[in-house]
Amino acid sequence: SSLFIVSYVTSQLIIIFSAIRNFYRAYGEWGKFNELPRKERKIVFYSEDKSSWVYLGPVVEALALELDRPLCYLTSAVDDPILQRKDKNISAFYIGDGMICTWAFMSLEADLCVMTMPDLETYHLKRSKEANVHYVHIFHSIVSSHATYRKAAFDHFDSVLCVGPHHFTEIRATEKAYGLPEKRLFEHGYGRLDELMKGCADIGKKSELSEPLNVLVAPSWGDNAILEAIGESLVSELLTAGFQVTVRPHPMTIKRTPQVCDELGKKFSANSRFELERDIRGFNSLAEADVLISDWSGIALEYAFVWERPVLFIDLPQKINNPEYDKIGIEPLESSIREKLGPVVSPDDLKNIKAAVTDVANRQKGDFGQVVKKLRKETVFNIGQSGLAGAKIIAELADELS
């Protein structure tokens, strides 16, 4: 027991010293940011974690490298890869996720602040008290803005770069329903989709189904999501059916309920046909999957739109973060498009999951590809060009504000 106590105390001391070290690093880097000439910090991007790069990165790189605009990239992730990069026109700074980050937002002096994190002003991140900063939101999912996000998620942004027509319609309807001032809305697209489509084109699509079938479980997060609600039983049934199974948890599941992932790993890691993938930046699991199983996650749309394969949905309760979404009077995209992308299976019918997976895999031989191409074009702006489109929008806004 004494050895356990020593080990526990040591681990706690490591955590404490790491937190202290990160605090002083964030303090120092925030100071370095403020030492930059004002003209070099007109455009600021903020990243809440290293996963945010997949959404912000295409715009950042197009802005800095193609349009030759200097910008700053503030990140709350101490291990964010951008901190090690040396790119022309990109100055990256670590500001932590605690007191320094909150202070940085409240005292920010810039023309524009671009972020993929919603809920500005609602929680700990506030609009600047020191400067008239123009706040721009970039979406980190294709799904609806009024049901999947919280009620006031976008109310305090000045501009929103929309994925597709549905965001225009939803945001304008929300403004009308609550008497909010109109934000500036722009046709942007979705950088993550473009990156995935490029990767798919580079390696080519699978021409044949795997044997056994590769099944990727990639759900949303929360009490009613697949992993939290039925993860163990679903994975067990899939492995019993003989499939190769990869589980790709949502980043918020890893962050908020890591024990869910840990338990799956402990229970199934000895099975050679099971893999737990914790990094959403990975590409191979999506490319190799014969069937994606999801719930209400935006990854279902990404997978169908990129690989032009149907999705198997588990019919768990819809993820509604805005209890007043029905006041807007618009059916969320993830509801209206769902059954066009694949069949929906009851969570009480997992004993028949083998037949359902096999059926979905075989659907790829039909005309699904043509159907999904049409849906993709109708749903997303600037396919393949969203990075440059977004960069031009940011540059034009910066010029106006100057």
Side-chain angles (χ1 to χ4, degrees):
S1 61
S2 60
L3 186 62
F4 171 78
I5 293 172
V6 171
S7 176
Y8 175 77
V9 171
T10 301
S11 67
Q12 293 304 301
L13 286 173
I14 291 172
I15 292 171
I16 291 170
F17 282 119
S18 177
I20 294 172
R21 182 178 66 248
N22 290 342
F23 174 85
Y24 280 104
R25 178 179 174 184
Y27 179 83
E29 296 206 18
W30 175 240
K32 290 178 182 178
F33 167 83
N34 284 298
E35 290 172 2
L36 287 176
R38 183 68 169 76
K39 65 181 181 180
E40 292 182 21
R41 48 191 172 94
K42 287 184 176 183
I43 302 174
V44 173
F45 284 75
Y46 168 68
S47 171
E48 60 187 291
D49 52 37
K50 63 183 181 181
S51 298
S52 297
W53 178 258
V54 299
Y55 313 107
L56 297 174
V59 178
V60 169
E61 291 183 330
L63 190 62
L65 305 179
E66 295 186 57
L67 301 186
D68 198 28
R69 295 294 188 108
L71 61 91
C72 293
Y73 194 94
L74 306 180
T75 177
S76 288
V78 70
D79 57 346
D80 197 320
I82 198 171
L83 295 170
Q84 309 304 321
R85 290 175 51 165
K86 302 296 180 184
D87 296 283
K88 178 187 177 185
N89 289 328
I90 302 176
S91 301
F93 303 90
Y94 168 68
I95 60 168
D97 58 1
M99 186 193 311
I100 302 300
C101 182
T102 302
W103 175 31
F105 262 76
M106 292 186 69
S107 60
L108 180 65
E109 292 188 47
D111 289 350
L112 278 99
C113 180
V114 186
M115 52 200 288
T116 189
M117 185 178 185
D119 301 305
L120 178 66
E121 196 72 20
T122 307
Y123 294 100
H124 64 297
L125 297 186
K126 310 293 186 182
R127 292 176 64 102
S128 175
K129 310 301 180 188
E130 300 296 328
N132 187 23
V133 181
H134 188 99
Y135 290 86
V136 182
H137 182 78
I138 290 180
F139 281 97
H140 59 252
S141 180
I142 302 175
V143 297
S144 68
S145 61
H146 65 307
T148 305
Y149 292 86
R150 296 183 183 92
K151 177 184 173 184
F154 310 105
D155 288 2
H156 299 282
F157 286 92
D158 302 292
S159 294
V160 178
L161 273 58
C162 300
V163 171
H166 58 291
H167 284 156
F168 269 83
T169 306
E170 295 159 0
I171 292 172
R172 286 289 180 247
T174 300
E175 291 167 345
K176 184 176 180 181
Y178 291 100
L180 301 170
E182 285 195 352
K183 287 170 280 296
R184 296 185 67 175
L185 305 182
F186 297 92
E187 295 185 7
H188 173 219
Y190 190 52
R192 174 63 171 165
L193 183 69
D194 293 344
E195 292 294 303
L196 290 174
M197 290 182 70
K198 182 179 182 300
C200 179
D202 289 343
I203 65 173
K205 295 176 186 173
K206 289 174 62 175
S207 57
E208 300 290 337
L209 296 175
S210 304
E211 181 56 49
L213 290 174
N214 280 328
V215 178
L216 176 62
V217 181
S220 184
W221 63 278
D223 293 342
N224 292 322
I226 286 176
L227 296 190
E228 288 85 345
I230 58 166
E232 190 174 306
S233 56
L234 174 62
V235 172
S236 179
E237 291 290 347
L238 291 169
L239 290 171
T240 300
F243 300 128
Q244 183 76 33
V245 181
T246 300
V247 173
R248 183 182 170 107
H250 191 283
M252 292 302 291
T253 297
I254 296 171
K255 184 176 181 179
R256 298 196 175 193
T257 53
Q259 67 275 11
V260 171
C261 305
D262 294 341
E263 288 300 318
L264 285 174
K266 287 178 185 176
K267 186 169 181 65
F268 299 112
S269 59
N271 191 314
S272 62
R273 288 184 286 103
F274 174 81
E275 182 179 352
L276 184 64
E277 182 179 69
R278 296 175 186 261
D279 190 349
I280 69 160
R281 295 172 300 170
F283 179 83
N284 288 344
S285 61
L286 288 163
E288 293 299 319
D290 296 300
V291 173
L292 175 77
I293 297 180
S294 193
D295 39 35
W296 293 97
S297 174
I299 199 172
L301 280 74
E302 296 171 16
Y303 177 81
F305 285 170
V306 173
W307 282 278
E308 298 168 7
R309 299 173 188 154
V311 178
L312 179 62
F313 294 96
I314 304 297
D315 197 23
L316 290 160
Q318 185 171 359
K319 185 177 179 180
I320 302 293
N321 285 317
N322 175 14
E324 297 182 15
Y325 87 97
D326 54 348
K327 286 187 178 181
I328 310 305
I330 299 172
E331 184 180 10
L333 174 74
E334 54 273 22
S335 301
S336 63
I337 204 171
R338 198 181 195 200
E339 292 190 5
K340 299 174 184 177
L341 300 180
V344 181
V345 173
S346 168
D348 300 323
D349 198 25
L350 296 185
K351 291 293 182 183
N352 296 314
I353 199 71
K354 181 176 183 179
V357 168
T358 304
D359 174 60
V360 170
N362 289 327
R363 287 190 185 200
Q364 299 172 31
K365 299 172 183 176
D367 62 353
F368 181 79
Q370 296 304 313
V371 172
V372 80
K373 284 177 184 176
K374 184 173 182 294
L375 283 172
R376 182 175 65 201
K377 187 175 181 180
E378 293 170 349
T379 307
V380 183
F381 295 129
N382 297 311
I383 294 173
Q385 301 174 334
S386 70
L388 185 56
K392 288 179 178 178
I393 293 166
I394 300 300
E396 288 171 7
L397 281 172
D399 290 342
E400 285 182 27
L401 295 168
S402 293

